[in-house]
Amino acid sequence: MSTAAQNVPTPSLVIDEERLDDNIAGMAAFAARAGLALRPHVKTHKSVEIARRQVAAGAIGITVATISEAEVFATAGMTDIFIAYPLWLDDDKARRLREILQITPLLIGIDSVEGAARLASGTEGLTNRLSVLVEIDSGHHRSGVSAAEAGHVASAAAGLGLDVVGVFTFPGHSYSPEKRQAAAADEMHALAAAVAALAGEGITARIVSGGSTPSVEFADASVLTDLRPGVYVFGDAQQWELGTCSPESIALTVLATVVSRTPERVVADAGSKALAADRGAFSTGFGRLLDHPEARLSAISEHHVTITGLECAPGTRLRVVPNHVCNAVNLADAYVVMREGQIVATWPVDARGRNI
Amino acid sequence: MSTAAQNVPTPSLVIDEERLDDNIAGMAAFAARAGLALRPHVKTHKSVEIARRQVAAGAIGITVATISEAEVFATAGMTDIFIAYPLWLDDDKARRLREILQITPLLIGIDSVEGAARLASGTEGLTNRLSVLVEIDSGHHRSGVSAAEAGHVASAAAGLGLDVVGVFTFPGHSYSPEKRQAAAADEMHALAAAVAALAGEGITARIVSGGSTPSVEFADASVLTDLRPGVYVFGDAQQWELGTCSPESIALTVLATVVSRTPERVVADAGSKALAADRGAFSTGFGRLLDHPEARLSAISEHHVTITGLECAPGTRLRVVPNHVCNAVNLADAYVVMREGQIVATWPVDARGRNI
């Protein structure tokens, strides 16, 4: 069964299974110590096998971003599923959502009265199978309402017949080396204020959900009940450069081959169609090399990544750490799973492209 | 058969078929007027249907980036295929390349003696079915050798039994508003010098291939024999902002729905898993809105794009022009094809994910 890594075609997603299991166990232990429930975000890995391992390690359920991700994981038998997104239901999405609700109850995000009204009307007859959480903007300024508005949205949703069970936020402004702790403080402050706003309307927030991977270590169980980090299962170059993970814990790399070289640079075959084109303001480049931390990925195009600070011959294989692992995973159909240098399995990226 | 656009789920890739056909016809006419052969790069669309239209309009063949793209298009019956990439053949890639060569002859890029040697040994018995072009670095500083080195690589490749038929370059530094014309001049200069270098080794460059979409209008038929632009079939926000296409010619958009709104911004459901995360130094944001050119796509995450300068209600549908259409197409499984506001077909993205 086992095959040497040298035969893996490039570019390919490669999982270090021991590191993956360590990361899953580590976050589960952290949540248990903190007294918090864990509903990991599976948009990172889109894999039923990995979601099952997260649940086996203690996660009480999973978080997804889209109806089509929920379809994949509900069909695979996962039960406690949170669609942490302010869905806007058109007729087709309403039909698909009703089909999922016939398989399993759902938690769903809302951030407007209009969206809540469509959710209620679109799930008629099955509305008792869903619970909603109001999304709060804790400083990332993406979707979500202010804590002050949360009471109004919650109250209106309840008036529409929806079961309002809590609040959630994504502190995306934690993706900055100096701001991780401050973003976590913003997150706790906004969620606490939102809980109070719901209470003012007579609604108890039983679920208070937060926790991006960069901010999770600052989670405050006096405010939160739930964590839903995603990237921690693999780590990536963003987390490495944020200081949220060490390179020794990174469980996913894109295996690449050097195809071209000059005295100034080498070029490998993992471009933006393998790594994705993400680059944060704080990033040193378009990813990192796991075994050559001093090298820099200075440019990327679809099928080329240009590397400086590395000398090697054409044909050399490199383990590239993508900047944003969620987007890299979504580009591939399968993972190659390695243990002790041998291929032990291939796993499908079950929800690859299920972004609708 | 026809269905209104309002029923298309979001985010989805939508083609304006009339614009697509106009763009295909326009480039074919340009190449014919210039006396240049057209081998369009199909990595942009990854669609057999669109490649067939390009050939029907006068393209003499197609260009691909990977062996797996070549597999898709050769199996579909395309014949004149150029893999414009300095392939490094491992055992698996050599086996797959031999299988393609049994279907159709190929043109293949080389940029090193080592790569050429693997190409010769990996295709043993079928080497007479392939021809090679030496890749030249004309200023983009990615793969490719200098014009001065081209003679050495060509001569060594010929000595290995490969049929060296020409040179090619990608002037990627044309992706800058002020540098398009200068990059095209670099391209012509480098290719002319490379042709001379091959001649010095007694090798005639029968094919001299260039032409990125931004530089193609400056193509000089006294140097070039072939063009291989890709993006022109659709256009995208990069080309729009470079001034290479007008918004009225853009044939592909990502249909999105507004899911969230505050007084400062709206958020729609086309994030980096639908648009890709590309952003050039010259870009105004993470894409553009075709119908609201004044709006700015100021931030992107996987399932959200944040838009400023636009007021609209939740549920509004927007036509988003991705920055880099090649990477957006590679994220989807199918195109929705519209003509006069009606859906007339869906086409598979045949080579989606075929990047190995």
Side-chain angles (χ1 to χ4, degrees), chain A residues 10 43 85 88 90 93 111 114 137 141-142 260-261 265 272-273 301-304 315 317 324 326-327 333 352, chain B residues 10 43 85 88 90 93 111 114 137 141-143 260-261 265 272-273 301-304 315 317 324 327 333 352:
Chain A
T10 64
K43 70 179 169 63
Y85 194 85
W88 182 266
D90 56 30
K93 286 189 173 164
D111 90 340
E114 301 97 315
D137 176 9
H141 304 322
R142 195 175 67 178
S260 180
R261 150 186 75 163
R265 63 189 177 272
S272 55
K273 283 180 174 169
S301 45
E302 288 159 66
H303 301 280
H304 308 71
R317 295 197 150 206
H324 184 185
C326 309
N327 276 336
D333 292 320
R352 197 278 319 152
Chain B
T10 63
K43 71 181 169 62
Y85 194 84
W88 183 265
D90 56 30
K93 286 189 172 162
D111 90 339
E114 301 98 314
D137 175 11
H141 303 323
R142 194 175 69 177
S143 48
S260 179
R261 150 186 75 163
R265 63 185 177 274
S272 54
K273 283 179 174 170
S301 45
E302 288 158 66
H303 302 280
H304 308 71
R317 293 197 153 208
H324 184 185
N327 275 336
D333 292 320
R352 196 276 321 149

Short mmCIF file of all heavy atoms in Angstrom, two decimals, chain A residues 10 43 85 88 90 93 111 114 137 141-142 260-261 265 272-273 301-304 315 317 324 326-327 333 352, chain B residues 10 43 85 88 90 93 111 114 137 141-143 260-261 265 272-273 301-304 315 317 324 327 333 352:
data_model
loop_
_atom_site.label_atom_id
_atom_site.label_comp_id
_atom_site.label_asym_id
_atom_site.label_seq_id
_atom_site.Cartn_x
_atom_site.Cartn_y
_atom_site.Cartn_z
N THR A 10 3.28 16.52 -8.92
CA THR A 10 3.26 17.89 -8.39
C THR A 10 2.57 18.81 -9.39
O THR A 10 2.68 18.59 -10.59
CB THR A 10 4.68 18.40 -8.12
OG1 THR A 10 5.41 18.47 -9.36
CG2 THR A 10 5.40 17.52 -7.14
N LYS A 43 -14.84 24.65 6.49
CA LYS A 43 -14.48 25.26 5.21
C LYS A 43 -12.98 25.17 4.97
O LYS A 43 -12.52 25.24 3.83
CB LYS A 43 -14.93 26.71 5.14
CG LYS A 43 -14.16 27.68 6.04
CD LYS A 43 -14.68 29.09 5.87
CE LYS A 43 -14.13 30.03 6.94
NZ LYS A 43 -12.66 30.21 6.89
N TYR A 85 -23.23 32.08 8.42
CA TYR A 85 -23.26 33.02 7.29
C TYR A 85 -24.66 33.60 7.21
O TYR A 85 -25.64 32.87 7.38
CB TYR A 85 -22.93 32.27 5.99
CG TYR A 85 -22.61 33.19 4.82
CD1 TYR A 85 -21.32 33.68 4.65
CD2 TYR A 85 -23.58 33.58 3.91
CE1 TYR A 85 -21.02 34.53 3.60
CE2 TYR A 85 -23.29 34.43 2.86
CZ TYR A 85 -22.00 34.91 2.71
OH TYR A 85 -21.70 35.75 1.67
N TRP A 88 -28.94 34.57 2.25
CA TRP A 88 -30.04 35.23 1.57
C TRP A 88 -30.71 34.16 0.70
O TRP A 88 -30.13 33.73 -0.29
CB TRP A 88 -29.56 36.40 0.71
CG TRP A 88 -30.72 37.10 0.07
CD1 TRP A 88 -31.24 36.88 -1.17
CD2 TRP A 88 -31.54 38.10 0.68
NE1 TRP A 88 -32.33 37.68 -1.38
CE2 TRP A 88 -32.54 38.45 -0.26
CE3 TRP A 88 -31.54 38.73 1.92
CZ2 TRP A 88 -33.52 39.40 0.00
CZ3 TRP A 88 -32.51 39.68 2.19
CH2 TRP A 88 -33.48 40.01 1.24
N ASP A 90 -32.80 32.61 -2.00
CA ASP A 90 -33.65 32.66 -3.19
C ASP A 90 -34.43 31.33 -3.24
O ASP A 90 -34.29 30.49 -2.35
CB ASP A 90 -32.82 32.91 -4.47
CG ASP A 90 -31.72 31.89 -4.65
OD1 ASP A 90 -31.89 30.73 -4.21
OD2 ASP A 90 -30.68 32.23 -5.23
N LYS A 93 -32.16 28.18 -3.20
CA LYS A 93 -31.48 27.95 -1.92
C LYS A 93 -32.48 27.55 -0.83
O LYS A 93 -32.17 26.73 0.04
CB LYS A 93 -30.68 29.19 -1.51
CG LYS A 93 -29.42 29.32 -2.35
CD LYS A 93 -28.47 30.40 -1.88
CE LYS A 93 -27.19 30.31 -2.70
NZ LYS A 93 -26.34 31.48 -2.64
N ASP A 111 -28.16 38.52 9.86
CA ASP A 111 -27.69 39.85 10.26
C ASP A 111 -28.62 40.96 9.77
O ASP A 111 -28.23 42.14 9.81
CB ASP A 111 -26.23 40.09 9.87
CG ASP A 111 -26.01 40.70 8.49
OD1 ASP A 111 -26.91 40.62 7.64
OD2 ASP A 111 -24.92 41.26 8.28
N GLU A 114 -34.57 41.61 6.98
CA GLU A 114 -34.99 41.11 5.67
C GLU A 114 -34.51 39.66 5.46
O GLU A 114 -35.26 38.82 4.94
CB GLU A 114 -34.42 41.97 4.53
CG GLU A 114 -34.82 43.43 4.55
CD GLU A 114 -33.74 44.31 5.18
OE1 GLU A 114 -33.21 43.94 6.26
OE2 GLU A 114 -33.44 45.37 4.60
N ASP A 137 -20.77 42.41 14.29
CA ASP A 137 -19.52 42.97 13.77
C ASP A 137 -18.67 43.39 14.98
O ASP A 137 -19.01 44.37 15.67
CB ASP A 137 -19.83 44.17 12.88
CG ASP A 137 -18.57 44.86 12.38
OD1 ASP A 137 -17.46 44.33 12.58
OD2 ASP A 137 -18.70 45.97 11.80
N HIS A 141 -15.58 44.60 10.33
CA HIS A 141 -16.35 45.41 9.37
C HIS A 141 -16.62 44.67 8.07
O HIS A 141 -16.37 45.19 6.98
CB HIS A 141 -15.65 46.76 9.11
CG HIS A 141 -15.41 47.53 10.38
ND1 HIS A 141 -16.31 47.54 11.43
CD2 HIS A 141 -14.36 48.28 10.78
CE1 HIS A 141 -15.83 48.29 12.40
NE2 HIS A 141 -14.65 48.75 12.05
N ARG A 142 -17.14 43.47 8.21
CA ARG A 142 -17.57 42.68 7.07
C ARG A 142 -19.08 42.55 7.26
O ARG A 142 -19.77 43.56 7.33
CB ARG A 142 -16.83 41.33 7.12
CG ARG A 142 -16.88 40.54 5.86
CD ARG A 142 -16.03 39.28 5.98
NE ARG A 142 -16.58 38.33 6.94
CZ ARG A 142 -16.05 37.13 7.21
NH1 ARG A 142 -14.94 36.75 6.61
NH2 ARG A 142 -16.61 36.31 8.08
N SER A 260 12.70 25.43 -13.14
CA SER A 260 13.54 26.41 -13.83
C SER A 260 14.45 27.07 -12.80
O SER A 260 14.09 27.20 -11.63
CB SER A 260 12.64 27.46 -14.51
OG SER A 260 13.40 28.43 -15.18
N ARG A 261 15.59 27.51 -13.24
CA ARG A 261 16.54 28.12 -12.29
C ARG A 261 17.47 29.07 -13.02
O ARG A 261 17.88 28.81 -14.14
CB ARG A 261 17.34 27.00 -11.63
CG ARG A 261 18.72 27.37 -11.23
CD ARG A 261 19.49 26.21 -10.73
NE ARG A 261 19.93 25.29 -11.77
CZ ARG A 261 20.90 24.39 -11.57
NH1 ARG A 261 21.46 24.27 -10.39
NH2 ARG A 261 21.29 23.61 -12.56
N ARG A 265 17.27 33.11 -8.99
CA ARG A 265 15.98 32.60 -8.53
C ARG A 265 15.80 31.16 -8.97
O ARG A 265 16.45 30.69 -9.90
CB ARG A 265 14.84 33.43 -9.12
CG ARG A 265 14.77 33.38 -10.64
CD ARG A 265 13.80 34.34 -11.27
NE ARG A 265 13.84 34.27 -12.73
CZ ARG A 265 14.66 34.97 -13.50
NH1 ARG A 265 15.52 35.83 -12.97
NH2 ARG A 265 14.66 34.81 -14.80
N SER A 272 -0.62 30.03 -8.50
CA SER A 272 -1.86 30.44 -7.82
C SER A 272 -3.02 29.48 -8.09
O SER A 272 -4.04 29.57 -7.42
CB SER A 272 -2.24 31.87 -8.22
OG SER A 272 -2.33 32.00 -9.61
N LYS A 273 -2.87 28.56 -9.04
CA LYS A 273 -3.89 27.52 -9.22
C LYS A 273 -3.65 26.33 -8.29
O LYS A 273 -4.43 25.38 -8.28
CB LYS A 273 -4.00 27.10 -10.68
CG LYS A 273 -4.77 28.13 -11.52
CD LYS A 273 -4.90 27.76 -12.98
CE LYS A 273 -5.81 28.76 -13.71
NZ LYS A 273 -5.77 28.59 -15.19
N SER A 301 2.48 33.26 -10.37
CA SER A 301 1.49 33.31 -11.45
C SER A 301 0.79 31.95 -11.45
O SER A 301 0.96 31.17 -10.51
CB SER A 301 2.12 33.72 -12.78
OG SER A 301 3.32 33.06 -13.01
N GLU A 302 -0.03 31.68 -12.46
CA GLU A 302 -0.91 30.52 -12.30
C GLU A 302 -0.18 29.20 -12.07
O GLU A 302 -0.64 28.36 -11.29
CB GLU A 302 -1.82 30.41 -13.53
CG GLU A 302 -2.87 31.48 -13.56
CD GLU A 302 -3.40 31.69 -14.96
OE1 GLU A 302 -4.03 30.76 -15.46
OE2 GLU A 302 -3.16 32.75 -15.55
N HIS A 303 0.95 29.03 -12.76
CA HIS A 303 1.64 27.74 -12.68
C HIS A 303 3.10 27.89 -12.28
O HIS A 303 3.89 26.97 -12.47
CB HIS A 303 1.53 27.01 -14.03
CG HIS A 303 0.11 26.77 -14.44
ND1 HIS A 303 -0.64 25.75 -13.94
CD2 HIS A 303 -0.71 27.48 -15.26
CE1 HIS A 303 -1.86 25.81 -14.45
NE2 HIS A 303 -1.94 26.85 -15.25
N HIS A 304 3.46 29.03 -11.78
CA HIS A 304 4.85 29.29 -11.39
C HIS A 304 4.83 30.02 -10.04
O HIS A 304 4.04 30.94 -9.84
CB HIS A 304 5.55 30.25 -12.35
CG HIS A 304 5.52 29.91 -13.81
ND1 HIS A 304 4.38 30.01 -14.57
CD2 HIS A 304 6.51 29.53 -14.66
CE1 HIS A 304 4.68 29.68 -15.84
NE2 HIS A 304 5.96 29.38 -15.91
N GLY A 315 14.23 19.86 -10.73
CA GLY A 315 13.79 18.54 -10.29
C GLY A 315 13.70 18.40 -8.78
O GLY A 315 13.10 17.45 -8.28
N ARG A 317 12.37 18.65 -5.16
CA ARG A 317 11.00 18.75 -4.63
C ARG A 317 10.98 19.62 -3.39
O ARG A 317 11.86 19.53 -2.53
CB ARG A 317 10.46 17.36 -4.33
CG ARG A 317 10.34 16.58 -5.65
CD ARG A 317 9.46 15.39 -5.55
NE ARG A 317 8.85 15.17 -6.86
CZ ARG A 317 7.70 14.56 -7.06
NH1 ARG A 317 7.00 14.11 -6.04
NH2 ARG A 317 7.20 14.41 -8.27
N HIS A 324 -2.78 30.92 2.72
CA HIS A 324 -4.14 30.75 3.27
C HIS A 324 -4.61 29.35 2.87
O HIS A 324 -5.04 29.14 1.74
CB HIS A 324 -5.04 31.84 2.70
CG HIS A 324 -6.42 31.82 3.27
ND1 HIS A 324 -7.42 32.65 2.83
CD2 HIS A 324 -6.98 31.07 4.24
CE1 HIS A 324 -8.53 32.40 3.51
NE2 HIS A 324 -8.29 31.45 4.36
N CYS A 326 -7.15 27.50 3.45
CA CYS A 326 -8.54 27.25 3.03
C CYS A 326 -8.70 27.42 1.53
O CYS A 326 -9.40 26.64 0.88
CB CYS A 326 -9.50 28.20 3.74
SG CYS A 326 -9.31 28.28 5.53
N ASN A 327 -8.07 28.44 0.98
CA ASN A 327 -8.20 28.66 -0.46
C ASN A 327 -7.35 27.69 -1.26
O ASN A 327 -7.72 27.32 -2.39
CB ASN A 327 -7.84 30.11 -0.82
CG ASN A 327 -9.03 31.05 -0.64
OD1 ASN A 327 -10.18 30.62 -0.68
ND2 ASN A 327 -8.75 32.32 -0.42
N ASP A 333 -8.71 18.29 -5.72
CA ASP A 333 -9.76 17.28 -5.58
C ASP A 333 -9.46 16.28 -4.48
O ASP A 333 -10.36 15.58 -4.03
CB ASP A 333 -9.94 16.54 -6.91
CG ASP A 333 -10.52 17.45 -7.98
OD1 ASP A 333 -11.42 18.25 -7.66
OD2 ASP A 333 -10.07 17.38 -9.13
N ARG A 352 -14.98 20.29 -2.11
CA ARG A 352 -14.25 21.16 -3.04
C ARG A 352 -15.24 21.84 -4.00
O ARG A 352 -16.08 21.16 -4.60
CB ARG A 352 -13.24 20.32 -3.83
CG ARG A 352 -12.14 21.08 -4.53
CD ARG A 352 -12.50 21.66 -5.86
NE ARG A 352 -13.32 20.78 -6.67
CZ ARG A 352 -14.18 21.22 -7.58
NH1 ARG A 352 -14.34 22.51 -7.81
NH2 ARG A 352 -14.91 20.35 -8.27
N THR B 10 -26.23 31.91 -6.75
CA THR B 10 -25.02 32.73 -6.62
C THR B 10 -24.13 32.16 -5.52
O THR B 10 -24.65 31.61 -4.56
CB THR B 10 -25.37 34.18 -6.29
OG1 THR B 10 -26.03 34.23 -5.01
CG2 THR B 10 -26.23 34.81 -7.35
N LYS B 43 -5.82 27.98 -20.89
CA LYS B 43 -5.85 27.98 -19.42
C LYS B 43 -6.85 29.00 -18.91
O LYS B 43 -7.34 28.89 -17.79
CB LYS B 43 -4.47 28.25 -18.84
CG LYS B 43 -3.96 29.67 -19.00
CD LYS B 43 -2.58 29.81 -18.39
CE LYS B 43 -1.93 31.13 -18.76
NZ LYS B 43 -2.63 32.32 -18.29
N TYR B 85 5.28 25.52 -21.31
CA TYR B 85 5.76 25.42 -19.93
C TYR B 85 7.01 24.54 -19.96
O TYR B 85 7.03 23.53 -20.66
CB TYR B 85 4.68 24.77 -19.05
CG TYR B 85 4.94 24.92 -17.58
CD1 TYR B 85 4.56 26.08 -16.90
CD2 TYR B 85 5.60 23.93 -16.85
CE1 TYR B 85 4.80 26.23 -15.55
CE2 TYR B 85 5.86 24.08 -15.49
CZ TYR B 85 5.46 25.24 -14.86
OH TYR B 85 5.71 25.40 -13.51
N TRP B 88 9.03 19.48 -16.22
CA TRP B 88 10.04 18.60 -15.62
C TRP B 88 9.37 17.23 -15.48
O TRP B 88 8.47 17.05 -14.68
CB TRP B 88 10.47 19.12 -14.23
CG TRP B 88 11.55 18.23 -13.66
CD1 TRP B 88 11.40 17.19 -12.80
CD2 TRP B 88 12.95 18.30 -13.95
NE1 TRP B 88 12.61 16.59 -12.55
CE2 TRP B 88 13.58 17.26 -13.24
CE3 TRP B 88 13.73 19.12 -14.77
CZ2 TRP B 88 14.96 17.03 -13.30
CZ3 TRP B 88 15.10 18.89 -14.83
CH2 TRP B 88 15.70 17.86 -14.10
N ASP B 90 8.72 13.75 -14.29
CA ASP B 90 8.97 12.59 -13.44
C ASP B 90 8.37 11.37 -14.14
O ASP B 90 7.83 11.48 -15.25
CB ASP B 90 8.40 12.80 -12.03
CG ASP B 90 6.93 13.13 -12.04
OD1 ASP B 90 6.22 12.68 -12.96
OD2 ASP B 90 6.46 13.84 -11.14
N LYS B 93 4.60 11.77 -15.02
CA LYS B 93 4.33 12.76 -16.08
C LYS B 93 4.84 12.26 -17.43
O LYS B 93 4.23 12.53 -18.47
CB LYS B 93 4.94 14.11 -15.70
CG LYS B 93 4.13 14.79 -14.61
CD LYS B 93 4.52 16.22 -14.33
CE LYS B 93 3.50 16.82 -13.35
NZ LYS B 93 3.96 18.02 -12.68
N ASP B 111 13.52 25.11 -20.94
CA ASP B 111 14.38 26.25 -20.61
C ASP B 111 15.66 25.81 -19.92
O ASP B 111 16.37 26.64 -19.36
CB ASP B 111 13.62 27.34 -19.82
CG ASP B 111 13.65 27.16 -18.33
OD1 ASP B 111 13.90 26.04 -17.84
OD2 ASP B 111 13.42 28.16 -17.62
N GLU B 114 18.92 20.22 -18.61
CA GLU B 114 18.45 19.10 -17.79
C GLU B 114 17.00 18.75 -18.11
O GLU B 114 16.63 17.58 -18.20
CB GLU B 114 18.55 19.43 -16.29
CG GLU B 114 19.93 19.76 -15.78
CD GLU B 114 20.17 21.26 -15.70
OE1 GLU B 114 19.81 21.98 -16.68
OE2 GLU B 114 20.69 21.72 -14.68
N ASP B 137 13.38 34.56 -21.38
CA ASP B 137 12.98 35.56 -20.39
C ASP B 137 13.12 36.94 -21.04
O ASP B 137 14.22 37.41 -21.28
CB ASP B 137 13.88 35.45 -19.15
CG ASP B 137 13.58 36.54 -18.13
OD1 ASP B 137 12.57 37.26 -18.28
OD2 ASP B 137 14.38 36.67 -17.18
N HIS B 141 11.17 37.87 -15.75
CA HIS B 141 12.03 37.22 -14.75
C HIS B 141 11.30 36.11 -14.00
O HIS B 141 11.28 36.08 -12.77
CB HIS B 141 12.64 38.25 -13.79
CG HIS B 141 13.40 39.32 -14.48
ND1 HIS B 141 14.17 39.07 -15.60
CD2 HIS B 141 13.50 40.65 -14.26
CE1 HIS B 141 14.71 40.20 -16.02
NE2 HIS B 141 14.31 41.18 -15.23
N ARG B 142 10.70 35.24 -14.77
CA ARG B 142 10.06 34.05 -14.22
C ARG B 142 10.87 32.89 -14.82
O ARG B 142 12.06 32.82 -14.58
CB ARG B 142 8.59 34.07 -14.67
CG ARG B 142 7.70 33.13 -13.95
CD ARG B 142 6.25 33.32 -14.40
NE ARG B 142 6.04 32.87 -15.76
CZ ARG B 142 4.86 32.87 -16.39
NH1 ARG B 142 3.78 33.30 -15.77
NH2 ARG B 142 4.74 32.43 -17.63
N SER B 143 10.25 31.98 -15.54
CA SER B 143 11.05 30.97 -16.23
C SER B 143 11.57 31.54 -17.54
O SER B 143 11.21 32.65 -17.95
CB SER B 143 10.22 29.69 -16.43
OG SER B 143 8.94 29.99 -16.97
N SER B 260 -25.62 41.42 3.03
CA SER B 260 -25.50 42.21 4.25
C SER B 260 -25.24 43.66 3.85
O SER B 260 -24.66 43.93 2.80
CB SER B 260 -24.32 41.67 5.08
OG SER B 260 -24.15 42.41 6.26
N ARG B 261 -25.67 44.57 4.70
CA ARG B 261 -25.51 45.98 4.36
C ARG B 261 -25.46 46.83 5.64
O ARG B 261 -26.17 46.56 6.60
CB ARG B 261 -26.67 46.40 3.49
CG ARG B 261 -27.07 47.83 3.61
CD ARG B 261 -28.31 48.14 2.83
NE ARG B 261 -29.54 47.64 3.45
CZ ARG B 261 -30.75 48.07 3.12
NH1 ARG B 261 -30.88 48.95 2.14
NH2 ARG B 261 -31.81 47.61 3.72
N ARG B 265 -21.23 50.20 3.81
CA ARG B 265 -20.78 49.16 2.89
C ARG B 265 -21.90 48.18 2.60
O ARG B 265 -22.86 48.10 3.36
CB ARG B 265 -19.60 48.39 3.51
CG ARG B 265 -19.98 47.66 4.80
CD ARG B 265 -18.80 46.98 5.50
NE ARG B 265 -19.24 46.38 6.76
CZ ARG B 265 -19.31 47.01 7.92
NH1 ARG B 265 -18.96 48.30 8.01
NH2 ARG B 265 -19.73 46.40 9.01
N SER B 272 -13.28 35.01 -2.16
CA SER B 272 -12.09 34.52 -2.87
C SER B 272 -12.25 33.07 -3.32
O SER B 272 -11.43 32.60 -4.10
CB SER B 272 -10.85 34.68 -1.99
OG SER B 272 -11.04 34.06 -0.73
N LYS B 273 -13.27 32.36 -2.86
CA LYS B 273 -13.54 31.03 -3.41
C LYS B 273 -14.40 31.10 -4.67
O LYS B 273 -14.70 30.06 -5.27
CB LYS B 273 -14.15 30.11 -2.34
CG LYS B 273 -13.10 29.60 -1.35
CD LYS B 273 -13.67 28.72 -0.25
CE LYS B 273 -12.54 28.13 0.60
NZ LYS B 273 -13.04 27.47 1.83
N SER B 301 -12.96 38.05 1.60
CA SER B 301 -12.61 36.83 2.33
C SER B 301 -13.27 35.68 1.57
O SER B 301 -13.73 35.87 0.45
CB SER B 301 -12.97 36.92 3.80
OG SER B 301 -14.24 37.47 3.99
N GLU B 302 -13.27 34.49 2.13
CA GLU B 302 -13.62 33.35 1.29
C GLU B 302 -15.02 33.43 0.68
O GLU B 302 -15.23 33.03 -0.45
CB GLU B 302 -13.49 32.05 2.08
CG GLU B 302 -12.04 31.68 2.33
CD GLU B 302 -11.90 30.77 3.52
OE1 GLU B 302 -12.39 29.64 3.44
OE2 GLU B 302 -11.32 31.19 4.54
N HIS B 303 -15.97 33.96 1.47
CA HIS B 303 -17.36 33.96 1.01
C HIS B 303 -17.99 35.35 1.07
O HIS B 303 -19.21 35.47 1.02
CB HIS B 303 -18.19 32.96 1.84
CG HIS B 303 -17.65 31.57 1.76
ND1 HIS B 303 -17.91 30.75 0.69
CD2 HIS B 303 -16.83 30.87 2.58
CE1 HIS B 303 -17.28 29.60 0.87
NE2 HIS B 303 -16.62 29.65 1.99
N HIS B 304 -17.18 36.36 1.22
CA HIS B 304 -17.66 37.72 1.31
C HIS B 304 -16.78 38.62 0.44
O HIS B 304 -15.56 38.49 0.48
CB HIS B 304 -17.54 38.29 2.73
CG HIS B 304 -18.13 37.48 3.84
ND1 HIS B 304 -17.59 36.29 4.28
CD2 HIS B 304 -19.20 37.72 4.65
CE1 HIS B 304 -18.31 35.83 5.30
NE2 HIS B 304 -19.29 36.66 5.55
N GLY B 315 -30.30 41.20 -1.12
CA GLY B 315 -30.98 40.47 -2.17
C GLY B 315 -30.69 40.98 -3.57
O GLY B 315 -30.97 40.30 -4.56
N ARG B 317 -28.88 41.63 -6.94
CA ARG B 317 -27.89 40.83 -7.67
C ARG B 317 -26.90 41.74 -8.38
O ARG B 317 -27.28 42.77 -8.95
CB ARG B 317 -28.61 39.92 -8.66
CG ARG B 317 -29.41 38.88 -7.88
CD ARG B 317 -29.84 37.71 -8.68
NE ARG B 317 -29.99 36.57 -7.81
CZ ARG B 317 -29.84 35.31 -8.16
NH1 ARG B 317 -29.56 35.02 -9.41
NH2 ARG B 317 -29.98 34.33 -7.30
N HIS B 324 -8.71 38.58 -12.06
CA HIS B 324 -7.93 37.67 -12.91
C HIS B 324 -8.84 36.51 -13.28
O HIS B 324 -9.04 35.58 -12.49
CB HIS B 324 -6.70 37.20 -12.15
CG HIS B 324 -5.78 36.34 -12.97
ND1 HIS B 324 -4.68 35.73 -12.45
CD2 HIS B 324 -5.80 35.99 -14.28
CE1 HIS B 324 -4.06 35.04 -13.40
NE2 HIS B 324 -4.73 35.18 -14.51
N ASN B 327 -8.01 32.58 -12.86
CA ASN B 327 -8.11 31.95 -11.53
C ASN B 327 -9.56 31.84 -11.06
O ASN B 327 -9.89 30.90 -10.34
CB ASN B 327 -7.26 32.72 -10.51
CG ASN B 327 -5.81 32.28 -10.54
OD1 ASN B 327 -5.49 31.16 -10.94
ND2 ASN B 327 -4.92 33.14 -10.10
N ASP B 333 -17.19 24.68 -11.58
CA ASP B 333 -17.36 23.47 -12.39
C ASP B 333 -18.07 23.74 -13.70
O ASP B 333 -18.00 22.92 -14.62
CB ASP B 333 -18.15 22.42 -11.59
CG ASP B 333 -17.36 21.91 -10.39
OD1 ASP B 333 -16.14 21.71 -10.55
OD2 ASP B 333 -17.94 21.73 -9.31
N ARG B 352 -11.19 22.20 -15.33
CA ARG B 352 -11.14 22.77 -13.99
C ARG B 352 -10.26 21.87 -13.10
O ARG B 352 -10.47 20.66 -13.05
CB ARG B 352 -12.56 22.85 -13.42
CG ARG B 352 -12.73 23.73 -12.22
CD ARG B 352 -12.40 23.11 -10.85
NE ARG B 352 -12.82 21.76 -10.71
CZ ARG B 352 -12.18 20.87 -9.96
NH1 ARG B 352 -11.09 21.19 -9.30
NH2 ARG B 352 -12.61 19.63 -9.90
#
